[in-house]
């Protein structure tokens, strides 16, 4: 088992922009990833299995709802701390970060923002520790980039709601205890419902044969006349804007997380280039390899600056959906390109589980698609700057 020798690049001394608390939170997450994730993740990815034993540790480092107020079991941290935790977790593996992001931004966030006080007290403390695990049901077999077309629906039966439909590509679904599900009422208005495992007619079949996010559990949510108690409706906000607010938070975390994957690929390639001898000298001495490395660190630095500024805007309540889209799209694109270049630098060794690069590369093929595809985020920016939506 190879030791985790990762050293984070900070070419523009961005640590100077962080508070001592930010650095403490980040360094704690980094140390945990080195100790608990790096030694096992290649094996779990090869087996296409999520390492459930890390759930408790994820909760302890603030991986679940770090910005949720302490009264509900969260750490009460700011948005930059949240981003730094996501960066460090994804440095370990995008699939593990997906588990953390979903729990934080797509399950805890809507219960905190749109739920009743009773719902907050019932679910958030257990979600914060990982005693409860959650998932988020928005995407459907026929409705991905166009979630407003969803067909999952619920009817008012007097003393309960009757929920029918299906969701797919749902991270955490196979083992989730609770699901925040978005469905249309009889008037066609979208609402959030908390569905609990064990409710009759609710099943979560696992999705197999993935070449990406192999260390993350993905599945479907099937609702066959599921009776949902009326107190499980999230009353604070309805309409498509409600799940979109959740996705803003998750996409923000992805923008930070992708930097972690990119940094890991860059650090691996830099170390390898200094050690790999060809033509009697390390390959780091050749111009083309230096070009690759110089471009990598430049793009990572640009992404770090972009995301730090976005974190400041999030803390101030000023960040727009379009700004978050820009960062998600740019940073994931940056990371996937760095992964591909780093893989080439390692030659044949780059495709093996001896190094993390191929795993990151495969994972990022999912990250560039989920929670808004690369192209959709481009169109969000386009609509924002022109005032003309080009989605349809």
């Amino acid at each position: 088992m190879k030791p985790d020798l990762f050293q984070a690049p900070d070419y523009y001394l961005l640590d100077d922009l962080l508070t001592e608390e930010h650095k403490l939170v980040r360094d704690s997450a980094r140390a945990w990833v080195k100790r608990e994730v790096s030694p096992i993740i290649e094996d779990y990815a090869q087996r296409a299995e999520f390492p459930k034993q890390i759930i408790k540790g994820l909760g302890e480092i603030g991986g679940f709802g770090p910005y949720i107020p302490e009264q509900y079991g969260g750490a009460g941290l700011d948005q930059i701390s949240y981003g730094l935790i996501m960066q460090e977790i994804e440095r370990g593996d995008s699939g593990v970060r997906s588990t953390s992001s979903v729990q934080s931004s797509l399950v805890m966030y809507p219960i905190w923002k749109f739920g009743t006080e009773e719902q907050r007290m019932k679910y958030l403390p257990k979600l914060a520790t990982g005693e409860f695990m959650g998932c988020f049901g928005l995407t459907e077999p026929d409705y991905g980039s166009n979630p407003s077309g969803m067909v999952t629906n619920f009817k008012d039966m007097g003393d309960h709601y009757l929920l029918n439909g299906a969701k797919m590509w749902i991270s955490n679904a196979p083992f989730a205890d609770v699901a925040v599900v978005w469905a249309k009422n009889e008037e066609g208005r979208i609402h959030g419902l908390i569905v609990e495992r064990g409710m009759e007619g609710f099943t979560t079949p696992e999705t197999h044969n993935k070449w990406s996010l192999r260390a993350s559990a993905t599945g479907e949510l099937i609702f066959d006349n599921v009776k949902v108690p009326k107190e499980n409706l999230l009353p604070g906000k309805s309409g498509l804007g409600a799940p979109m607010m959740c996705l803003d938070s998750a996409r923000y975390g992805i923008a930070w997380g992708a930097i972690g994957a990119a940094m890991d690929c860059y650090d691996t390639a830099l170390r390898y280039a200094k050690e790999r001898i060809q033509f009697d000298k390390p390959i780091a001495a050749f111009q083309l390899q230096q070009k690759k490395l110089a471009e990598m660190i430049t793009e990572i630095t640009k992404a770090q600056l972009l995301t730090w500024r976005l974190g400041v805007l999030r803390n101030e309540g000023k960040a727009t959906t379009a700004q978050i889209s820009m960062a998600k799209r740019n940073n994931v694109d940056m990371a996937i390109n760095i992964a591909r270049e780093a893989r080439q630098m390692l030659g044949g060794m780059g495709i093996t589980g001896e190094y993390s690069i191929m795993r990151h590369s495969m994972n990022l093929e999912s990250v560039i698609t989920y929670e808004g595809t690369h192209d959709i985020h481009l169109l969000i920016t386009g609509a924002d700057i022109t005032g003309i939506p080009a989605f349809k």
Side-chain angles (χ1 to χ4, degrees):
M1 190 178 295
K2 294 187 68 171
D4 184 343
L5 301 175
F6 174 74
Q7 291 183 293
D10 184 14
Y11 204 72
Y12 263 42
L13 307 182
L14 290 177
D15 267 19
D16 292 350
L17 299 173
L18 303 178
T19 66
E20 290 306 311
E21 181 178 61
H22 291 151
K23 287 182 275 193
L24 177 63
V25 166
R26 180 200 60 197
D27 292 348
S28 297
R30 182 173 297 166
W32 179 81
V33 168
K34 285 194 173 195
R35 185 177 66 251
E36 303 294 339
V37 178
S38 298
I40 65 168
I41 198 64
E42 299 297 345
D43 180 52
Y44 276 85
Q46 292 281 4
R47 290 192 276 136
E49 182 182 340
F50 174 71
K52 290 185 181 178
Q53 70 271 23
I54 68 172
I55 287 174
K56 185 174 184 290
L58 278 170
E60 290 170 350
I61 64 163
F64 300 141
Y67 49 78
I68 299 292
E70 292 182 43
Q71 69 196 87
Y72 303 121
L77 299 174
D78 74 349
Q79 289 292 302
I80 291 176
S81 292
Y82 168 52
L84 288 165
I85 294 169
M86 295 302 104
Q87 171 187 285
E88 295 305 314
I89 294 174
E90 188 146 0
R91 205 279 301 176
D93 186 76
S94 300
V96 177
R97 199 268 310 137
S98 294
T99 297
S100 181
S101 278
V102 167
Q103 184 92 331
S104 296
S105 292
L106 302 184
V107 181
M108 297 178 73
Y109 180 90
I111 293 173
W112 172 45
K113 284 291 187 181
F114 314 139
T116 64
E117 190 64 16
E118 290 73 22
Q119 289 168 343
R120 294 182 190 120
M121 295 308 297
K122 179 179 179 180
Y123 295 107
L124 292 178
K126 291 182 178 180
L127 288 164
T129 62
E131 181 181 346
F132 280 1
M133 292 301 294
C135 64
F136 176 85
L138 181 65
T139 298
E140 297 188 358
D142 294 321
Y143 295 96
S145 295
N146 176 26
S148 63
M150 71 173 64
V151 296
T152 298
N153 65 90
F154 65 98
K155 295 179 180 177
D156 190 334
M157 305 304 288
D159 62 344
H160 66 273
Y161 298 119
L162 199 63
L163 177 65
N164 282 282
K167 305 290 183 177
M168 73 181 303
W169 304 121
I170 310 300
S171 293
N172 301 358
F175 57 74
D177 302 289
V178 297
V180 173
V181 178
W182 302 93
K184 289 180 177 176
N185 65 10
E186 289 156 281
E187 289 75 46
R189 184 74 175 173
I190 294 171
H191 289 265
L193 298 163
I194 301 172
V195 181
E196 299 183 30
R197 184 171 296 282
M199 289 182 176
E200 189 175 352
F202 175 41
T203 54
T204 59
E206 186 162 2
T207 302
H208 296 288
N209 297 322
K210 297 184 300 177
W211 286 113
S212 181
L213 297 183
R214 289 173 60 82
S216 174
T218 309
E220 302 173 53
L221 305 177
I222 309 295
F223 313 106
D224 182 9
N225 288 322
V226 179
K227 292 181 180 180
V228 181
K230 285 199 164 179
E231 60 265 27
N232 283 31
L233 182 86
L234 294 174
K237 188 173 178 64
S238 64
L240 191 59
M244 290 298 106
M245 282 178 65
C246 305
L247 288 171
D248 273 354
S249 180
R251 290 164 175 171
Y252 168 76
I254 290 170
W256 280 92
I259 296 173
M263 291 195 304
D264 196 59
C265 292
Y266 164 77
D267 183 64
T268 302
L270 177 62
R271 186 173 292 106
Y272 185 87
K274 291 178 178 179
E275 296 171 353
R276 174 67 168 166
I277 306 298
Q278 290 291 282
F279 305 102
D280 301 321
K281 56 184 174 181
I283 63 172
F286 293 95
Q287 288 183 349
L288 286 177
Q289 306 311 311
Q290 290 194 8
K291 175 181 184 291
K292 287 182 171 68
L293 291 166
E295 289 175 342
M296 287 180 198
I297 190 58
T298 301
E299 293 306 313
I300 288 169
T301 301
K302 287 156 63 175
Q304 288 173 321
L305 287 161
L306 180 72
T307 315
W308 173 81
R309 177 58 185 160
L310 184 62
V312 172
L313 293 174
R314 287 278 290 175
N315 280 340
E316 295 174 351
K318 295 178 182 177
T320 67
T321 293
Q323 287 169 336
I324 294 167
S325 278
M326 177 184 282
K328 192 271 186 181
R329 179 182 180 273
N330 178 82
N331 290 9
V332 180
D333 185 58
M334 172 275 297
I336 204 167
N337 287 328
I338 284 177
R340 289 167 181 161
E341 289 288 275
R343 206 292 304 158
Q344 287 195 62
M345 290 185 66
L346 267 67
M349 289 304 296
I351 70 163
T352 71
E354 185 80 7
Y355 297 92
S356 61
I357 293 172
M358 194 67 182
R359 176 172 50 81
H360 282 307
S361 189
M362 291 192 299
N363 285 342
L364 289 165
E365 291 290 348
S366 289
V367 182
I368 207 167
T369 295
Y370 68 25
E371 297 189 31
T373 69
H374 187 68
D375 291 344
I376 287 292
H377 284 299
L378 187 77
L379 295 180
I380 290 172
T381 304
D384 191 52
I385 61 177
T386 65
I388 307 170
F391 298 101
K392 50 190 175 180

